[in-house]
């Protein structure tokens, strides 16, 4: 079974600074997808970024980028120029050829002024 | 972008009664819908996967007779919590997908409180 591990229950960053959230996963598959989701206090799940395992290039979406290390099974999220609106729970998720998303336990990000 | 709605957003029911939660894909046809449960400050736990016109596939430990899932059309899935008890109080989230290779789009969730 695939497992997703987020080792940082809580992180804090100052506004305008950069923060990196960690995620590791375990799989024997070669073809899969990795995601970072944001869950703000409203609890609506929002897709932040997606990475296909076959792509060597790291995905980026504006201030959000990932460091995908396939051999190390690591998928970290970097948030640049942090904003107050970035405060939320962040979940790392894995999906292979099946339907289901496997979520990590989440990292609570606090952004301080 | 793809929109998924859930209704109701909040529901309070008495112990022993049943409650139905609806999940709708508003602008796409969802061949597969998912139901998750989330306890406070915890991750999402997949309860079941349903394909349109088929019986739902439940995750281990989820009671099929307690959590009835129906996916009768490509835009609607329902979760019925039967004979609800206080321990069923939780946040229930649905998501919808056009297929295994496609994104899952999440609904806004339903907070169920059983008194």
């Amino acid at each position: 079974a695939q497992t997703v591990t987020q080792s940082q229950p809580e992180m804090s960053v100052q506004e305008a600074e950069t923060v990196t959230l960690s995620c590791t996963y375990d799989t024997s598959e070669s073809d899969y997808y990795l995601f970072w989701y944001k869950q703000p206090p409203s609890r609506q799940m929002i897709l932040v970024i997606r990475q296909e395992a076959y792509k060597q290039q790291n995905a980026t979406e504006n201030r959000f980028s990932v460091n995908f290390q396939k051999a190390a099974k690591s998928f970290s999220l970097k948030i640049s120029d942090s904003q107050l609106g970035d405060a939320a729970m962040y979940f790392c998720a894995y999906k292979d050829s099946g339907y289901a998303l496997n979520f990590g336990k989440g990292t609570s990000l606090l952004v301080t002024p | 972008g793809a929109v998924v709605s859930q209704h109701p957003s909040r529901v309070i029911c008495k112990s022993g009664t049943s409650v139905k939660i609806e999940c709708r894909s508003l602008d796409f046809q969802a061949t597969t819908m998912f139901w998750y449960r989330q306890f406070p400050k915890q991750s999402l736990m997949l309860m079941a996967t349903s394909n349109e016109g088929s019986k739902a596939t439940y995750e281990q430990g989820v009671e099929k007779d307690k959590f009835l899932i129906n996916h009768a059309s490509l835009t609607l899935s329902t979760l019925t919590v039967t004979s609800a008890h206080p321990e069923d109080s939780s946040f229930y989230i649905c998501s919808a997908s056009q297929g295994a290779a496609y994104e899952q789009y999440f609904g806004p969730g339903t907070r169920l409180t059983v008194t």
Side-chain angles (χ1 to χ4, degrees), chain A residues 3-17:
Chain A
T3 57
V4 178
T5 302
Q6 293 179 251
S7 59
Q8 306 154 317
E10 294 182 351
M11 291 285 284
S12 181
V13 64
Q14 276 197 312
E15 222 177 340
E17 297 296 309

Side-chain angles (χ1 to χ4, degrees), chain A residues 1-103:
Chain A
Q2 294 80 14
T3 57
V4 178
T5 302
Q6 293 179 251
S7 59
Q8 306 154 317
E10 294 182 351
M11 291 285 284
S12 181
V13 64
Q14 276 197 312
E15 222 177 340
E17 297 296 309
T18 296
V19 65
T20 298
L21 308 185
S22 302
C23 174
T24 58
Y25 58 94
D26 185 28
T27 185
S28 57
E29 301 290 331
S30 59
D31 192 19
Y32 51 87
Y33 304 87
L34 295 164
F35 306 84
W36 278 98
Y37 283 90
K38 170 184 177 181
Q39 189 179 40
S42 69
R43 303 190 79 169
Q44 171 74 59
M45 295 290 283
I46 301 166
L47 177 63
V48 175
I49 202 163
R50 160 190 171 132
Q51 174 82 44
E52 289 88 347
Y54 67 85
K55 290 186 177 178
Q56 293 187 342
Q57 189 172 7
N58 289 323
T60 63
E61 286 289 342
N62 301 313
R63 298 181 295 107
F64 299 88
S65 62
V66 297
N67 183 3
F68 173 47
Q69 301 288 328
K70 190 171 184 179
K73 296 181 182 175
S74 170
F75 183 61
S76 61
L77 175 69
K78 186 171 83 171
I79 307 174
S80 304
D81 185 26
S82 296
Q83 301 174 0
L84 294 176
D86 294 333
M89 282 290 291
Y90 286 82
F91 293 100
C92 178
Y94 164 100
K95 184 179 108 61
D96 54 30
S97 58
Y99 289 98
L101 282 168
N102 292 309
F103 287 94

Side-chain angles (χ1 to χ4, degrees), chain B residues 71-93:
Chain B
H71 189 171
S73 78
L74 286 171
T75 58
L76 173 64
S77 176
T78 59
L79 168 67
T80 302
V81 183
T82 63
S83 186
H85 287 96
E87 57 266 30
D88 299 324
S89 298
S90 190
F91 193 68
Y92 292 88
I93 304 174

Side-chain angles (χ1 to χ4, degrees), chain A residues 39 44 50 95 99 104, chain B residues 38 43 100 103-104 106 111:
Chain A
Q39 189 179 40
Q44 171 74 59
R50 160 190 171 132
K95 184 179 108 61
Y99 289 98
Chain B
Q38 186 180 31
S43 188
E103 301 284 350
Q104 281 190 33
F106 286 84
R111 182 180 301 281

